[in-house]
Amino acid sequence: MQRSRLVQRQIYYVSDSDKEFAKSDNSNEIPLVLIPKSPSILQLATTIPSGPFVLWQQWHRDMGELDSGVIYFWPSWNRVSHVVSRATISYNAPSKNCPTADNVMVNVDICISFNIGPNAAAARSFVYQIGANRFNDFLSAESEEAIRKLIYTVTHDQINDVRGDLAVKMISILNEKCNRYGVQITNVNVENIVLPEELQLRLERISTLKEKMKENEKIQEKKLRALEDDAEKELETIRKSNARKLQEIIAERKLYEIERRELEEKAKGESRVREVEAMTKAEKALKKAQGDEVVAKLNARRKAEALLKKTQIECQTLKLEAEQKAIFMVKESEGQLKIAEAKAKALIYRAEAEAECADNLIEKRKYELEWERLKVLEKLASTGRRFISGERGESILNQLVPILGNEE
């Protein structure tokens, strides 16, 4: 791929601009802007084409865009200054020896599609700010720089897988640079990526080996499918055999269930018979128990009546005995009370008599005390000798014979 070249050309008439833009030759030049020849004095009629942006000047002052159509009597101080293409331009921008992230030099061929617009203001910005020739150098440098930066972010084995990402990123980068000049980048196509010859050969060998591996994998898959088919057939045979066995087992189970139901019915019948017999026995036992209960109640009632009569007799007997004892005790108490009253009267009489004879009884009492003291001394003398002296002996003697002590 050869790099395209954006140029600005001179034409004789404005009406020839469409032919000039559509002209194709073997060169890589792409006309973006056409400069028509200015009239000498007066131009009777001027045809303004409808395709491109047609800018005009008056006394070399920019006056904006001319509408398409025929203009009569075009004086020399008015002139068509620039005819700018509206078409989408395909710009080839090959880049040589771009290093990848793993330092492999690759050649990348890209095609950038752009147009000038969308309005006359954009065309005026393009013409007066940068121009076709300068834009050619600008776009060449920016595209070269962008593609090298993007290629440097991936390894050689990833380049072909990220073509779409590279194109999208380049559109964003170039639009950021070119939009201020009235240029819109519409598409970037990574047409070809060429690796070094030796590496390309190795990759081709790897691709060949991968193809062979894929073929071998297909062969192995066929064999595996054949084995799986055989296994599936055997499995189907086993399934059918198991299904027959399962049907036999189900039939046996149904037979067993029928036998079990018969046994259950038989057992239920026997259990009903036993239940009836048990209920009959229970009713007999209940009736017997009810009869025994009636007899027991009658016996208990008779025993209770006998016990009640016996208890009443005993109570009456005890009551009579208690009443007799109470009468006796009352009589006895009354007799004792009378005896106590008599004794009290006797004591009163005696006390009065003693009070009257108190002086006569003093000598009698002294005699009795002295006699008691002598008995104590006799007892002490009979148990052995005792040596008692001092205050202690005197105290003992006073305790033995207190009356004597008091007399002393």
Side-chain angles (χ1 to χ4, degrees):
M1 176 185 285
Q2 293 182 352
R3 184 177 293 275
S4 300
R5 185 167 177 269
L6 305 175
V7 296
Q8 176 178 296
R9 289 179 181 174
Q10 299 282 339
I11 58 173
Y12 192 78
Y13 296 112
V14 178
S15 57
D16 296 336
S17 59
D18 290 336
K19 294 179 182 179
E20 190 66 27
F21 283 133
K23 185 188 295 184
S24 61
D25 50 17
N26 294 327
S27 65
N28 295 321
E29 293 184 353
I30 301 174
L32 286 182
V33 181
L34 301 177
I35 308 295
K37 183 180 178 181
S38 300
S40 58
I41 297 175
L42 179 66
Q43 191 171 355
L44 295 177
T46 301
T47 302
I48 306 301
S50 61
F53 296 106
V54 179
L55 306 178
W56 70 290
Q57 296 176 353
Q58 189 176 59
W59 301 108
H60 297 284
R61 179 185 176 185
D62 178 48
M63 300 301 292
E65 183 183 11
L66 278 175
D67 294 331
S68 60
V70 179
I71 300 176
Y72 296 98
F73 301 106
W74 185 256
S76 60
W77 56 82
N78 294 334
R79 73 186 187 96
V80 176
S81 61
H82 302 87
V83 180
V84 182
S85 175
R86 288 178 185 263
T88 299
I89 308 300
S90 295
Y91 179 81
N92 296 327
S95 297
K96 306 291 183 183
N97 297 325
C98 299
T100 61
D102 51 355
N103 203 27
V104 175
M105 299 299 176
V106 297
N107 299 331
V108 183
D109 296 335
I110 61 173
C111 180
I112 302 172
S113 299
F114 69 91
N115 58 12
I116 299 170
N119 49 33
R124 294 167 68 189
S125 297
F126 178 79
V127 169
Y128 293 112
Q129 290 185 17
I130 190 167
N133 295 324
R134 290 176 59 196
F135 183 70
N136 177 72
D137 298 336
F138 177 79
L139 184 59
S140 175
E142 291 297 333
S143 62
E144 182 83 14
E145 182 181 0
I147 194 63
R148 286 183 179 275
K149 284 183 179 179
L150 295 175
I151 291 296
Y152 193 70
T153 59
V154 296
T155 57
H156 73 280
D157 56 340
Q158 297 175 340
I159 289 179
N160 290 317
D161 298 331
V162 295
R163 285 190 178 191
D165 294 337
L166 294 177
V168 172
K169 290 179 182 178
M170 277 201 68
I171 291 173
S172 176
I173 293 170
L174 293 177
N175 271 323
E176 186 178 355
K177 301 285 186 179
C178 299
N179 284 347
R180 57 187 172 182
Y181 299 120
V183 177
Q184 294 180 336
I185 308 298
T186 57
N187 188 31
V188 174
N189 185 25
V190 181
E191 294 188 351
N192 191 20
I193 297 176
V194 181
L195 297 171
E197 185 176 357
E198 184 178 356
L199 181 60
Q200 188 68 31
L201 292 173
R202 290 182 180 178
L203 292 176
E204 288 176 359
R205 292 194 200 101
I206 291 172
S207 298
T208 303
L209 291 174
K210 286 182 179 179
E211 291 296 329
K212 289 182 179 179
M213 288 176 64
K214 288 181 181 179
E215 291 178 0
N216 290 331
E217 286 177 358
K218 289 180 181 178
I219 293 170
Q220 294 298 325
E221 286 178 359
K222 288 180 181 178
K223 292 181 179 179
L224 181 61
R225 287 196 198 97
L227 292 173
E228 287 177 351
D229 292 339
D230 295 338
E232 186 67 27
K233 290 178 182 178
E234 293 179 0
L235 184 61
E236 187 64 26
T237 304
I238 294 170
R239 284 185 187 139
K240 290 179 180 178
S241 176
N242 290 337
R244 287 194 297 271
K245 291 179 181 179
L246 182 61
Q247 290 176 355
E248 293 175 358
I249 292 170
I250 291 171
E252 291 179 359
R253 189 185 68 179
K254 289 181 179 178
L255 181 61
Y256 293 149
E257 286 179 354
I258 292 169
E259 293 178 355
R260 181 175 60 81
R261 289 195 195 98
E262 291 177 355
L263 292 174
E264 286 178 354
E265 292 296 331
K266 183 179 179 181
K268 286 179 181 179
E270 293 177 354
S271 65
R272 289 193 193 97
V273 173
R274 293 193 190 96
E275 184 179 358
V276 171
E277 292 177 353
M279 290 177 67
T280 304
K281 290 180 181 178
E283 288 176 356
K284 290 180 180 179
L286 179 61
K287 290 179 180 178
K288 182 181 179 182
Q290 289 174 350
D292 294 339
E293 182 183 4
V294 172
V295 173
K297 285 181 179 180
L298 294 174
N299 293 331
R301 194 171 293 156
R302 284 197 298 271
K303 289 180 180 179
E305 290 175 355
L307 181 61
L308 180 60
K309 289 179 180 179
K310 182 180 178 182
T311 304
Q312 288 176 351
I313 293 168
E314 289 178 354
C315 288
Q316 289 176 359
T317 303
L318 291 173
K319 183 178 180 182
L320 292 173
E321 290 178 356
E323 288 176 354
Q324 290 176 359
K325 283 183 181 181
I327 294 168
F328 176 75
M329 289 176 68
V330 170
K331 297 295 183 181
E332 186 179 4
S333 296
E334 290 176 352
Q336 288 180 358
L337 178 59
K338 290 179 180 180
I339 292 169
E341 288 177 353
K343 285 182 179 181
K345 288 179 179 180
L347 289 173
I348 292 169
Y349 293 147
R350 185 179 178 181
E352 290 176 354
E354 285 182 357
E356 292 176 358
C357 300
D359 295 334
N360 299 324
L361 293 174
I362 293 172
E363 291 298 328
K364 182 182 178 181
R365 289 178 178 170
K366 286 182 180 180
Y367 174 79
E368 290 176 355
L369 290 173
E370 183 64 21
W371 186 253
E372 292 294 331
R373 185 181 67 81
L374 292 174
K375 285 182 179 180
V376 169
L377 290 175
E378 183 182 1
K379 189 176 180 179
L380 288 173
S382 65
T383 57
R385 292 183 179 183
R386 297 286 186 274
F387 295 97
I388 302 171
S389 62
E391 293 179 358
R392 185 174 182 183
E394 186 177 358
S395 175
I396 292 171
L397 290 175
N398 289 332
Q399 291 175 3
L400 290 173
V401 190
I403 301 301
L404 184 60
N406 290 331
E407 290 177 358
E408 292 177 356

